[in-house]
Amino acid sequence: MPSEKKSETENRVILVKRTNPRADPERSEYLFQELRELAKAAGYVPVGELTQTRFPDSRYQLGKGKIEELAELVRQKRAGKVIFYNRLSTIQLFNISEICGCQVIDKFQLILEIFAKRATTRRSKLQVELARLRYEIPRSRAIVSLVKKEERAGFMGLGDYEDAYEQDLKKRITRIEEELESAGKDDESLRAFRHRKGFSLVALAGYTNAGKSTLFNAIVNESVEAQNMLFTTLVPTTRALDLGGRKALLTDTVGFIEELPHWLVDAFKSTLDEIFLSDLILLVVDVSEKPEIILQKLSTSHDTLWDRIKGVPVITVLNKTDLLEEHELEAVMEEIGYMAPNPVFVSAKKKTGIEELKAEIIKHLPAWAFYSFSLPNSEKGMSTLSWLYDEGIVHRVEYGERISVDYEARTDIINRIKSLELNVDKQG
């Protein structure tokens, strides 16, 4: 059927990366592999690849010979799209699409496509739209200029833009920001409420596809979607975390990626705040990768985190240990140890190391205080005791003329107990 052929062509893509001739070949291949995985996550089928290793023509980000080679490859492979790893200017997008006769996008537009496909809630859809608009703002004048000349086939179906295009973008950005800000206030209220109820907030973070969702399932016995694919998690998922009496909530969040642009981080601020405003961060790493790749991914994660978490403790969860022998793990740690605070070895898939991880989590949770006191043996005292069970750990209860209690909870809960207008007597 004609429609089926068209759909098949649209899914066929050529991947392109410009590489500095002096760049490390292994690192260049790693970045190209990341582009392949991003294309797969977006539902594309890579049918050809091209690499530019010399300094390119600024009009195309490729040399003159390479751009002609790319156009021929598009025709031979019947590709419907070209995807560049490197960021392209509006003029470059236009020029390349002119020669290749198909749609051209870069890595960041590809990420936006993935996010748009994974967005299921109103908030996540607004965040994707905000990121797209912020990406487009610097390009708006060039887009309008090009479209005024004439709309060309293959150049993303731009439509009839007017001089007011940039102002329209800014108005839409303001509207979305206001709605997301309102949602963010609701989140802050929810976080404050959870803290008041004695919950510690723990967030999973790390490079995309490190196994965060699989680890989440292993820790809380859940079944959130976990695939061998980039950006599986876009909407945060929160569940209760059993820590033997300590009340905690664990949140699975969106993964990081190298060179994540500021406009994307800003657009997903309310989602990433689940990490930035938590009490403890579990930084998940795929320990089966090469040490130099692990270090690069740790560096990317640290760059995203450190300026925003304000001293929040971090546990480095070294996942996928089932893929390595013990001596291999030791060799990896010798190379990456200085970048991996509070390391814990786990295999989320095999569910090994989970209890050790929980023990490490308890060590780094916000301090709890121990307090011994007594309550009146009355209806009001019993009601208070019931509340205590909800807010912390009751280690001992003895009933007599008064109710004697040995209690442990967050310091703010202990302070509330002390301020209660009840006949509460401290025992020592």
Side-chain angles (χ1 to χ4, degrees):
M1 300 289 289
S3 61
E4 291 177 353
K5 290 181 180 179
K6 184 175 184 295
S7 175
E8 181 183 347
T9 299
E10 288 175 346
N11 285 337
R12 295 165 67 87
V13 298
I14 306 297
L15 305 180
V16 182
K17 185 178 186 302
R18 178 176 55 80
T19 302
N20 189 309
R22 294 182 290 275
D24 176 23
E26 284 196 7
R27 174 163 169 73
S28 294
E29 171 56 26
Y30 150 65
L31 294 176
F32 215 148
Q33 178 60 27
E34 184 171 271
L35 184 63
R36 296 183 192 111
E37 292 175 3
L38 285 168
K40 173 186 172 185
Y44 291 117
V45 179
V47 293
E49 296 180 355
L50 201 66
T51 302
Q52 169 77 63
T53 54
R54 71 175 182 82
F55 294 105
D57 186 324
S58 60
R59 293 174 297 173
Y60 307 108
Q61 273 221 29
L62 296 174
K64 189 173 180 181
K66 280 288 183 181
I67 194 68
E68 293 173 357
E69 183 181 339
L70 174 60
E72 180 59 28
L73 191 59
V74 168
R75 287 190 289 271
Q76 287 179 357
K77 300 294 185 178
R78 294 181 292 109
K81 184 174 290 187
V82 173
I83 304 176
F84 274 67
Y85 179 89
N86 315 86
R87 185 165 184 168
L88 298 173
S89 70
T90 304
I91 300 299
Q92 288 170 339
L93 284 167
F94 180 80
N95 291 338
I96 298 167
S97 68
E98 276 279 275
I99 292 176
C100 294
C102 68
Q103 186 176 348
V104 180
I105 64 173
D106 60 22
K107 167 187 169 182
F108 304 112
Q109 291 168 297
L110 179 60
I111 291 172
L112 283 177
E113 282 192 20
I114 296 168
F115 278 23
K117 289 182 178 181
R118 303 281 166 82
T120 56
T121 65
R122 174 163 177 77
R123 176 185 293 187
S124 61
K125 290 176 182 178
L126 284 173
Q127 289 171 323
V128 170
E129 175 70 2
L130 180 59
R132 186 187 67 79
L133 293 172
R134 283 181 170 163
Y135 178 81
E136 209 165 308
I137 273 283
R139 303 162 173 260
S140 57
R141 291 180 183 175
I143 289 172
V144 171
S145 175
L146 288 170
V147 173
K148 277 183 174 180
K149 293 179 181 178
E150 64 176 304
E151 183 176 332
R152 306 297 181 94
F155 190 58
M156 303 175 67
L158 287 171
D160 296 325
Y161 289 98
E162 300 177 353
D163 291 338
Y165 177 58
E166 183 177 357
Q167 290 304 315
D168 181 54
L169 290 181
K170 290 179 178 178
K171 287 178 183 177
R172 288 159 65 193
I173 286 173
T174 299
R175 176 182 58 79
I176 293 173
E177 285 177 335
E178 288 173 352
E179 187 167 345
L180 289 174
E181 183 179 356
S182 176
K185 290 178 180 177
D186 292 340
D187 284 347
E188 290 175 13
S189 298
L190 180 58
R191 274 188 287 269
F193 171 76
R194 287 167 170 173
H195 274 142
R196 285 197 305 272
K197 297 299 290 182
F199 285 98
S200 295
L201 307 181
V202 183
L204 284 167
Y207 210 84
T208 186
N209 210 29
K212 295 186 300 300
S213 294
T214 304
L215 180 61
F216 180 86
N217 290 336
I219 296 177
V220 299
N221 295 317
E222 267 288 337
S223 56
V224 302
E225 183 181 12
Q227 298 181 12
N228 184 26
M229 186 179 292
L230 303 186
F231 296 122
T232 301
T233 302
L234 188 57
V235 179
T237 303
T238 300
R239 295 291 184 270
L241 175 58
D242 181 12
L243 297 173
R246 286 294 300 264
K247 296 170 68 174
L249 295 171
L250 180 67
T251 299
D252 187 19
T253 61
V254 64
F256 304 144
I257 197 165
E258 189 161 332
E259 300 174 357
L260 200 65
H262 69 86
W263 47 263
L264 193 57
V265 174
D266 291 344
F268 280 80
K269 179 182 180 301
S270 57
T271 293
L272 293 171
D273 275 350
E274 297 287 350
I275 302 171
F276 303 149
L277 300 178
S278 60
D279 297 308
L280 175 64
I281 295 170
L282 307 183
L283 182 57
V284 186
V285 175
D286 181 353
V287 76
S288 70
E289 295 184 306
K290 293 181 178 180
E292 56 269 24
I293 300 301
I294 298 173
L295 285 171
Q296 184 58 48
K297 291 186 175 182
L298 280 171
S299 177
T300 297
S301 299
H302 290 175
D303 288 346
T304 307
L305 288 173
W306 292 130
D307 289 341
R308 298 175 175 89
I309 61 176
K310 300 176 183 177
V312 172
V314 173
I315 295 173
T316 307
V317 185
L318 300 153
N319 189 28
K320 305 187 184 182
T321 56
D322 55 299
L323 301 178
L324 296 177
E325 300 293 336
E326 187 173 345
H327 71 277
E328 292 176 310
L329 285 174
E330 291 174 357
V332 170
M333 283 306 296
E334 284 184 10
E335 296 196 46
I336 72 166
Y338 71 97
M339 288 278 284
N342 307 308
V344 178
F345 295 98
V346 305
S347 169
K349 185 177 180 180
K350 301 290 185 180
K351 296 188 177 181
T352 58
I354 302 301
E355 293 308 312
E356 291 80 358
L357 175 57
K358 288 184 176 181
E360 190 70 15
I361 291 172
I362 293 171
K363 281 172 54 180
H364 292 279
L365 287 177
W368 277 26
F370 189 88
Y371 191 50
S372 295
F373 55 93
S374 69
L375 299 168
N377 197 341
S378 63
E379 183 177 346
K380 196 168 186 179
M382 293 299 292
S383 175
T384 301
L385 182 62
S386 177
W387 173 75
L388 293 173
Y389 275 102
D390 288 337
E391 302 296 338
I393 303 174
V394 177
H395 290 286
R396 179 186 67 89
V397 179
E398 289 185 5
Y399 298 92
E401 291 186 9
R402 296 181 63 79
I403 304 173
S404 298
V405 183
D406 289 342
Y407 190 63
E408 187 177 6
R410 294 172 64 99
T411 52
D412 58 329
I413 300 297
I414 297 297
N415 290 334
R416 287 180 65 188
I417 295 170
K418 293 177 180 179
S419 65
L420 285 174
E421 293 182 359
L422 289 169
N423 185 14
V424 178
D425 297 331
K426 183 178 178 182
Q427 294 183 337

PDB file of all heavy atoms in Angstrom, residues 214-244:
ATOM      1  N   THR A 214      14.626  -0.490  36.596  1.00  0.00           N
ATOM      2  CA  THR A 214      14.755  -1.876  37.061  1.00  0.00           C
ATOM      3  C   THR A 214      15.123  -1.899  38.537  1.00  0.00           C
ATOM      4  O   THR A 214      14.584  -2.715  39.312  1.00  0.00           O
ATOM      5  CB  THR A 214      15.830  -2.617  36.243  1.00  0.00           C
ATOM      6  OG1 THR A 214      15.498  -2.549  34.854  1.00  0.00           O
ATOM      7  CG2 THR A 214      15.924  -4.079  36.659  1.00  0.00           C
ATOM      8  N   LEU A 215      16.003  -1.016  38.966  1.00  0.00           N
ATOM      9  CA  LEU A 215      16.363  -0.925  40.382  1.00  0.00           C
ATOM     10  C   LEU A 215      15.163  -0.478  41.206  1.00  0.00           C
ATOM     11  O   LEU A 215      14.920  -1.003  42.302  1.00  0.00           O
ATOM     12  CB  LEU A 215      17.521   0.058  40.558  1.00  0.00           C
ATOM     13  CG  LEU A 215      18.019   0.255  41.999  1.00  0.00           C
ATOM     14  CD1 LEU A 215      18.545  -1.057  42.575  1.00  0.00           C
ATOM     15  CD2 LEU A 215      19.101   1.330  42.041  1.00  0.00           C
ATOM     16  N   PHE A 216      14.410   0.484  40.701  1.00  0.00           N
ATOM     17  CA  PHE A 216      13.201   0.950  41.376  1.00  0.00           C
ATOM     18  C   PHE A 216      12.260  -0.226  41.634  1.00  0.00           C
ATOM     19  O   PHE A 216      11.747  -0.411  42.746  1.00  0.00           O
ATOM     20  CB  PHE A 216      12.516   2.015  40.507  1.00  0.00           C
ATOM     21  CG  PHE A 216      11.260   2.586  41.087  1.00  0.00           C
ATOM     22  CD1 PHE A 216      11.298   3.658  41.965  1.00  0.00           C
ATOM     23  CD2 PHE A 216      10.016   2.072  40.733  1.00  0.00           C
ATOM     24  CE1 PHE A 216      10.140   4.196  42.491  1.00  0.00           C
ATOM     25  CE2 PHE A 216       8.851   2.597  41.251  1.00  0.00           C
ATOM     26  CZ  PHE A 216       8.906   3.665  42.131  1.00  0.00           C
ATOM     27  N   ASN A 217      12.025  -1.034  40.604  1.00  0.00           N
ATOM     28  CA  ASN A 217      11.146  -2.194  40.745  1.00  0.00           C
ATOM     29  C   ASN A 217      11.673  -3.163  41.793  1.00  0.00           C
ATOM     30  O   ASN A 217      10.907  -3.735  42.586  1.00  0.00           O
ATOM     31  CB  ASN A 217      11.004  -2.913  39.410  1.00  0.00           C
ATOM     32  CG  ASN A 217      10.195  -2.117  38.398  1.00  0.00           C
ATOM     33  OD1 ASN A 217       9.382  -1.279  38.768  1.00  0.00           O
ATOM     34  ND2 ASN A 217      10.418  -2.369  37.122  1.00  0.00           N
ATOM     35  N   ALA A 218      12.997  -3.376  41.809  1.00  0.00           N
ATOM     36  CA  ALA A 218      13.602  -4.329  42.741  1.00  0.00           C
ATOM     37  C   ALA A 218      13.484  -3.850  44.190  1.00  0.00           C
ATOM     38  O   ALA A 218      13.276  -4.651  45.104  1.00  0.00           O
ATOM     39  CB  ALA A 218      15.068  -4.551  42.391  1.00  0.00           C
ATOM     40  N   ILE A 219      13.615  -2.545  44.418  1.00  0.00           N
ATOM     41  CA  ILE A 219      13.600  -2.013  45.783  1.00  0.00           C
ATOM     42  C   ILE A 219      12.187  -1.966  46.360  1.00  0.00           C
ATOM     43  O   ILE A 219      11.970  -2.293  47.527  1.00  0.00           O
ATOM     44  CB  ILE A 219      14.227  -0.602  45.826  1.00  0.00           C
ATOM     45  CG1 ILE A 219      15.703  -0.662  45.440  1.00  0.00           C
ATOM     46  CG2 ILE A 219      14.093   0.010  47.219  1.00  0.00           C
ATOM     47  CD1 ILE A 219      16.373   0.694  45.384  1.00  0.00           C
ATOM     48  N   VAL A 220      11.214  -1.555  45.534  1.00  0.00           N
ATOM     49  CA  VAL A 220       9.856  -1.348  46.077  1.00  0.00           C
ATOM     50  C   VAL A 220       8.858  -2.403  45.596  1.00  0.00           C
ATOM     51  O   VAL A 220       7.649  -2.270  45.827  1.00  0.00           O
ATOM     52  CB  VAL A 220       9.328   0.062  45.719  1.00  0.00           C
ATOM     53  CG1 VAL A 220      10.225   1.126  46.304  1.00  0.00           C
ATOM     54  CG2 VAL A 220       9.205   0.243  44.205  1.00  0.00           C
ATOM     55  N   ASN A 221       9.363  -3.458  44.927  1.00  0.00           N
ATOM     56  CA  ASN A 221       8.503  -4.532  44.422  1.00  0.00           C
ATOM     57  C   ASN A 221       7.393  -3.991  43.535  1.00  0.00           C
ATOM     58  O   ASN A 221       6.211  -4.304  43.696  1.00  0.00           O
ATOM     59  CB  ASN A 221       7.902  -5.332  45.587  1.00  0.00           C
ATOM     60  CG  ASN A 221       8.957  -6.072  46.370  1.00  0.00           C
ATOM     61  OD1 ASN A 221       9.855  -6.670  45.791  1.00  0.00           O
ATOM     62  ND2 ASN A 221       8.871  -6.013  47.696  1.00  0.00           N
ATOM     63  N   GLU A 222       7.783  -3.146  42.596  1.00  0.00           N
ATOM     64  CA  GLU A 222       6.841  -2.545  41.651  1.00  0.00           C
ATOM     65  C   GLU A 222       7.078  -3.125  40.263  1.00  0.00           C
ATOM     66  O   GLU A 222       7.946  -3.967  40.067  1.00  0.00           O
ATOM     67  CB  GLU A 222       7.013  -1.019  41.630  1.00  0.00           C
ATOM     68  CG  GLU A 222       6.089  -0.296  42.601  1.00  0.00           C
ATOM     69  CD  GLU A 222       4.628  -0.307  42.150  1.00  0.00           C
ATOM     70  OE1 GLU A 222       4.367  -0.473  40.943  1.00  0.00           O
ATOM     71  OE2 GLU A 222       3.755  -0.155  43.008  1.00  0.00           O
ATOM     72  N   SER A 223       6.333  -2.626  39.301  1.00  0.00           N
ATOM     73  CA  SER A 223       6.505  -3.094  37.920  1.00  0.00           C
ATOM     74  C   SER A 223       6.365  -1.928  36.943  1.00  0.00           C
ATOM     75  O   SER A 223       5.644  -2.020  35.954  1.00  0.00           O
ATOM     76  CB  SER A 223       5.471  -4.173  37.588  1.00  0.00           C
ATOM     77  OG  SER A 223       4.155  -3.684  37.813  1.00  0.00           O
ATOM     78  N   VAL A 224       7.060  -0.815  37.234  1.00  0.00           N
ATOM     79  CA  VAL A 224       7.045   0.294  36.287  1.00  0.00           C
ATOM     80  C   VAL A 224       7.806  -0.129  35.036  1.00  0.00           C
ATOM     81  O   VAL A 224       8.648  -1.025  35.066  1.00  0.00           O
ATOM     82  CB  VAL A 224       7.668   1.577  36.888  1.00  0.00           C
ATOM     83  CG1 VAL A 224       6.937   1.989  38.141  1.00  0.00           C
ATOM     84  CG2 VAL A 224       9.156   1.397  37.168  1.00  0.00           C
ATOM     85  N   GLU A 225       7.509   0.528  33.923  1.00  0.00           N
ATOM     86  CA  GLU A 225       8.123   0.147  32.654  1.00  0.00           C
ATOM     87  C   GLU A 225       9.642   0.265  32.709  1.00  0.00           C
ATOM     88  O   GLU A 225      10.193   1.285  33.113  1.00  0.00           O
ATOM     89  CB  GLU A 225       7.598   1.035  31.518  1.00  0.00           C
ATOM     90  CG  GLU A 225       8.147   0.652  30.147  1.00  0.00           C
ATOM     91  CD  GLU A 225       7.636   1.562  29.045  1.00  0.00           C
ATOM     92  OE1 GLU A 225       7.048   2.609  29.355  1.00  0.00           O
ATOM     93  OE2 GLU A 225       7.835   1.201  27.876  1.00  0.00           O
ATOM     94  N   ALA A 226      10.326  -0.793  32.339  1.00  0.00           N
ATOM     95  CA  ALA A 226      11.789  -0.796  32.302  1.00  0.00           C
ATOM     96  C   ALA A 226      12.226  -1.495  31.023  1.00  0.00           C
ATOM     97  O   ALA A 226      12.002  -2.687  30.860  1.00  0.00           O
ATOM     98  CB  ALA A 226      12.361  -1.510  33.525  1.00  0.00           C
ATOM     99  N   GLN A 227      12.820  -0.736  30.109  1.00  0.00           N
ATOM    100  CA  GLN A 227      13.274  -1.285  28.835  1.00  0.00           C
ATOM    101  C   GLN A 227      14.722  -0.917  28.613  1.00  0.00           C
ATOM    102  O   GLN A 227      15.236   0.026  29.193  1.00  0.00           O
ATOM    103  CB  GLN A 227      12.434  -0.725  27.680  1.00  0.00           C
ATOM    104  CG  GLN A 227      10.968  -1.053  27.742  1.00  0.00           C
ATOM    105  CD  GLN A 227      10.219  -0.472  26.551  1.00  0.00           C
ATOM    106  OE1 GLN A 227      10.814  -0.023  25.581  1.00  0.00           O
ATOM    107  NE2 GLN A 227       8.899  -0.483  26.614  1.00  0.00           N
ATOM    108  N   ASN A 228      15.383  -1.706  27.746  1.00  0.00           N
ATOM    109  CA  ASN A 228      16.759  -1.388  27.361  1.00  0.00           C
ATOM    110  C   ASN A 228      16.711  -0.299  26.298  1.00  0.00           C
ATOM    111  O   ASN A 228      16.993  -0.520  25.122  1.00  0.00           O
ATOM    112  CB  ASN A 228      17.460  -2.637  26.837  1.00  0.00           C
ATOM    113  CG  ASN A 228      18.926  -2.374  26.525  1.00  0.00           C
ATOM    114  OD1 ASN A 228      19.543  -1.471  27.099  1.00  0.00           O
ATOM    115  ND2 ASN A 228      19.487  -3.141  25.612  1.00  0.00           N
ATOM    116  N   MET A 229      16.326   0.907  26.731  1.00  0.00           N
ATOM    117  CA  MET A 229      16.081   2.007  25.810  1.00  0.00           C
ATOM    118  C   MET A 229      16.266   3.315  26.554  1.00  0.00           C
ATOM    119  O   MET A 229      15.949   3.411  27.750  1.00  0.00           O
ATOM    120  CB  MET A 229      14.657   1.901  25.251  1.00  0.00           C
ATOM    121  CG  MET A 229      14.328   2.901  24.160  1.00  0.00           C
ATOM    122  SD  MET A 229      12.634   2.665  23.550  1.00  0.00           S
ATOM    123  CE  MET A 229      12.798   1.061  22.735  1.00  0.00           C
ATOM    124  N   LEU A 230      16.764   4.341  25.852  1.00  0.00           N
ATOM    125  CA  LEU A 230      16.972   5.635  26.480  1.00  0.00           C
ATOM    126  C   LEU A 230      15.641   6.321  26.781  1.00  0.00           C
ATOM    127  O   LEU A 230      14.687   6.218  26.033  1.00  0.00           O
ATOM    128  CB  LEU A 230      17.813   6.539  25.574  1.00  0.00           C
ATOM    129  CG  LEU A 230      19.185   6.020  25.148  1.00  0.00           C
ATOM    130  CD1 LEU A 230      19.934   7.098  24.380  1.00  0.00           C
ATOM    131  CD2 LEU A 230      20.002   5.573  26.336  1.00  0.00           C
ATOM    132  N   PHE A 231      15.601   7.037  27.911  1.00  0.00           N
ATOM    133  CA  PHE A 231      14.461   7.871  28.304  1.00  0.00           C
ATOM    134  C   PHE A 231      13.158   7.075  28.403  1.00  0.00           C
ATOM    135  O   PHE A 231      12.112   7.526  27.962  1.00  0.00           O
ATOM    136  CB  PHE A 231      14.279   9.046  27.341  1.00  0.00           C
ATOM    137  CG  PHE A 231      15.429  10.013  27.348  1.00  0.00           C
ATOM    138  CD1 PHE A 231      16.128  10.279  26.183  1.00  0.00           C
ATOM    139  CD2 PHE A 231      15.820  10.646  28.513  1.00  0.00           C
ATOM    140  CE1 PHE A 231      17.191  11.175  26.182  1.00  0.00           C
ATOM    141  CE2 PHE A 231      16.879  11.539  28.524  1.00  0.00           C
ATOM    142  CZ  PHE A 231      17.566  11.796  27.360  1.00  0.00           C
ATOM    143  N   THR A 232      13.223   5.869  28.991  1.00  0.00           N
ATOM    144  CA  THR A 232      11.987   5.122  29.238  1.00  0.00           C
ATOM    145  C   THR A 232      11.117   5.868  30.242  1.00  0.00           C
ATOM    146  O   THR A 232       9.901   5.916  30.115  1.00  0.00           O
ATOM    147  CB  THR A 232      12.302   3.709  29.772  1.00  0.00           C
ATOM    148  OG1 THR A 232      13.099   3.029  28.810  1.00  0.00           O
ATOM    149  CG2 THR A 232      11.033   2.925  30.011  1.00  0.00           C
ATOM    150  N   THR A 233      11.758   6.457  31.271  1.00  0.00           N
ATOM    151  CA  THR A 233      11.025   7.181  32.312  1.00  0.00           C
ATOM    152  C   THR A 233      11.033   8.668  32.000  1.00  0.00           C
ATOM    153  O   THR A 233      12.082   9.281  31.880  1.00  0.00           O
ATOM    154  CB  THR A 233      11.668   6.951  33.696  1.00  0.00           C
ATOM    155  OG1 THR A 233      11.678   5.552  33.980  1.00  0.00           O
ATOM    156  CG2 THR A 233      10.888   7.675  34.787  1.00  0.00           C
ATOM    157  N   LEU A 234       9.845   9.233  31.863  1.00  0.00           N
ATOM    158  CA  LEU A 234       9.724  10.669  31.658  1.00  0.00           C
ATOM    159  C   LEU A 234       8.877  11.292  32.768  1.00  0.00           C
ATOM    160  O   LEU A 234       9.187  12.359  33.269  1.00  0.00           O
ATOM    161  CB  LEU A 234       9.104  10.957  30.290  1.00  0.00           C
ATOM    162  CG  LEU A 234       9.080  12.415  29.847  1.00  0.00           C
ATOM    163  CD1 LEU A 234      10.495  13.002  29.845  1.00  0.00           C
ATOM    164  CD2 LEU A 234       8.454  12.550  28.480  1.00  0.00           C
ATOM    165  N   VAL A 235       7.820  10.591  33.164  1.00  0.00           N
ATOM    166  CA  VAL A 235       6.970  11.050  34.260  1.00  0.00           C
ATOM    167  C   VAL A 235       7.431  10.365  35.543  1.00  0.00           C
ATOM    168  O   VAL A 235       7.470   9.139  35.620  1.00  0.00           O
ATOM    169  CB  VAL A 235       5.493  10.705  33.981  1.00  0.00           C
ATOM    170  CG1 VAL A 235       4.620  11.175  35.141  1.00  0.00           C
ATOM    171  CG2 VAL A 235       5.040  11.331  32.674  1.00  0.00           C
ATOM    172  N   PRO A 236       7.822  11.122  36.590  1.00  0.00           N
ATOM    173  CA  PRO A 236       8.316  10.516  37.829  1.00  0.00           C
ATOM    174  C   PRO A 236       7.275   9.598  38.470  1.00  0.00           C
ATOM    175  O   PRO A 236       6.072   9.873  38.428  1.00  0.00           O
ATOM    176  CB  PRO A 236       8.608  11.726  38.731  1.00  0.00           C
ATOM    177  CG  PRO A 236       8.789  12.872  37.794  1.00  0.00           C
ATOM    178  CD  PRO A 236       7.870  12.597  36.638  1.00  0.00           C
ATOM    179  N   THR A 237       7.763   8.503  39.037  1.00  0.00           N
ATOM    180  CA  THR A 237       6.914   7.563  39.770  1.00  0.00           C
ATOM    181  C   THR A 237       7.417   7.481  41.209  1.00  0.00           C
ATOM    182  O   THR A 237       8.612   7.306  41.433  1.00  0.00           O
ATOM    183  CB  THR A 237       6.970   6.164  39.127  1.00  0.00           C
ATOM    184  OG1 THR A 237       6.586   6.255  37.751  1.00  0.00           O
ATOM    185  CG2 THR A 237       6.044   5.198  39.850  1.00  0.00           C
ATOM    186  N   THR A 238       6.519   7.605  42.179  1.00  0.00           N
ATOM    187  CA  THR A 238       6.894   7.593  43.601  1.00  0.00           C
ATOM    188  C   THR A 238       6.155   6.474  44.316  1.00  0.00           C
ATOM    189  O   THR A 238       4.943   6.310  44.149  1.00  0.00           O
ATOM    190  CB  THR A 238       6.571   8.946  44.271  1.00  0.00           C
ATOM    191  OG1 THR A 238       7.300   9.987  43.615  1.00  0.00           O
ATOM    192  CG2 THR A 238       6.951   8.929  45.747  1.00  0.00           C
ATOM    193  N   ARG A 239       6.899   5.714  45.125  1.00  0.00           N
ATOM    194  CA  ARG A 239       6.316   4.639  45.911  1.00  0.00           C
ATOM    195  C   ARG A 239       6.947   4.621  47.311  1.00  0.00           C
ATOM    196  O   ARG A 239       8.058   5.120  47.516  1.00  0.00           O
ATOM    197  CB  ARG A 239       6.551   3.273  45.240  1.00  0.00           C
ATOM    198  CG  ARG A 239       5.860   3.087  43.906  1.00  0.00           C
ATOM    199  CD  ARG A 239       4.355   3.001  44.048  1.00  0.00           C
ATOM    200  NE  ARG A 239       3.719   2.717  42.753  1.00  0.00           N
ATOM    201  CZ  ARG A 239       3.313   3.644  41.890  1.00  0.00           C
ATOM    202  NH1 ARG A 239       3.520   4.928  42.180  1.00  0.00           N
ATOM    203  NH2 ARG A 239       2.743   3.316  40.746  1.00  0.00           N
ATOM    204  N   ALA A 240       6.223   4.006  48.259  1.00  0.00           N
ATOM    205  CA  ALA A 240       6.743   3.865  49.620  1.00  0.00           C
ATOM    206  C   ALA A 240       7.928   2.909  49.620  1.00  0.00           C
ATOM    207  O   ALA A 240       7.937   1.900  48.908  1.00  0.00           O
ATOM    208  CB  ALA A 240       5.652   3.349  50.546  1.00  0.00           C
ATOM    209  N   LEU A 241       8.933   3.240  50.418  1.00  0.00           N
ATOM    210  CA  LEU A 241      10.146   2.426  50.522  1.00  0.00           C
ATOM    211  C   LEU A 241      10.247   1.877  51.938  1.00  0.00           C
ATOM    212  O   LEU A 241      10.286   2.635  52.911  1.00  0.00           O
ATOM    213  CB  LEU A 241      11.377   3.288  50.197  1.00  0.00           C
ATOM    214  CG  LEU A 241      12.754   2.657  50.371  1.00  0.00           C
ATOM    215  CD1 LEU A 241      12.882   1.411  49.501  1.00  0.00           C
ATOM    216  CD2 LEU A 241      13.836   3.664  50.021  1.00  0.00           C
ATOM    217  N   ASP A 242      10.247   0.550  52.073  1.00  0.00           N
ATOM    218  CA  ASP A 242      10.294  -0.104  53.378  1.00  0.00           C
ATOM    219  C   ASP A 242      11.738  -0.169  53.869  1.00  0.00           C
ATOM    220  O   ASP A 242      12.576  -0.842  53.272  1.00  0.00           O
ATOM    221  CB  ASP A 242       9.705  -1.519  53.273  1.00  0.00           C
ATOM    222  CG  ASP A 242       9.713  -2.248  54.619  1.00  0.00           C
ATOM    223  OD1 ASP A 242       9.956  -1.597  55.654  1.00  0.00           O
ATOM    224  OD2 ASP A 242       9.469  -3.468  54.615  1.00  0.00           O
ATOM    225  N   LEU A 243      12.007   0.549  54.957  1.00  0.00           N
ATOM    226  CA  LEU A 243      13.355   0.570  55.530  1.00  0.00           C
ATOM    227  C   LEU A 243      13.337   0.126  56.996  1.00  0.00           C
ATOM    228  O   LEU A 243      14.044   0.660  57.838  1.00  0.00           O
ATOM    229  CB  LEU A 243      13.956   1.978  55.413  1.00  0.00           C
ATOM    230  CG  LEU A 243      14.172   2.490  53.978  1.00  0.00           C
ATOM    231  CD1 LEU A 243      14.608   3.943  53.996  1.00  0.00           C
ATOM    232  CD2 LEU A 243      15.211   1.638  53.252  1.00  0.00           C
ATOM    233  N   GLY A 244      12.493  -0.840  57.292  1.00  0.00           N
ATOM    234  CA  GLY A 244      12.456  -1.395  58.636  1.00  0.00           C
ATOM    235  C   GLY A 244      12.007  -0.395  59.691  1.00  0.00           C
ATOM    236  O   GLY A 244      12.587  -0.331  60.779  1.00  0.00           O
TER     237      GLY A 244
END
